[in-house]
Amino acid sequence: MILNQEDNPSRLDDPAVLQSVWQNVSFRFEAATDQHAAVSHELDTLLNDGPVEFSPDQLWTLLRAVKVQGQMLDLYTKDVSFA
């Protein structure tokens, strides 16, 4: 993930640059992980609601799940999106 955030990997030889990039990746990973856990809980709750006739709240839960999954995938690619 660190290498995906730096266009010039040789810059990571500088301890200050490496520390900065590591902190950025760590922060983004923690935020995405927290969001993923929250959405996973929401999805579990949604699945336990019984037969599904999607309400607007349930649709928003599904859309948030897709968005959070996209954020997790962005951490592993060079194409970062903050949507």
Side-chain angles (χ1 to χ4, degrees):
M1 287 188 284
I2 289 173
L3 290 173
N4 286 336
Q5 300 304 308
E6 183 56 49
D7 291 331
N8 183 2
S10 65
R11 288 190 53 208
L12 297 173
D13 291 338
D14 179 347
V17 172
L18 179 59
Q19 177 73 19
S20 175
V21 172
W22 176 81
Q23 286 177 332
N24 181 32
V25 169
S26 178
F27 174 77
R28 291 184 60 224
F29 185 75
E30 267 188 62
T33 301
D34 290 346
Q35 290 176 350
H36 190 269
V39 168
S40 292
H41 176 71
E42 286 182 298
L43 288 174
D44 285 342
T45 301
L46 179 66
L47 291 173
N48 292 327
D49 283 347
V52 178
E53 287 185 27
F54 289 110
S55 71
D57 286 341
Q58 290 170 322
L59 291 174
W60 282 117
T61 297
L62 292 172
L63 289 173
R64 277 194 307 275
V66 170
K67 183 177 178 178
V68 168
Q69 187 63 34
Q71 290 172 343
M72 292 296 288
L73 292 173
D74 284 345
L75 289 172
Y76 295 97
T77 67
K78 286 187 179 253
D79 300 325
V80 178
S81 69
F82 296 102

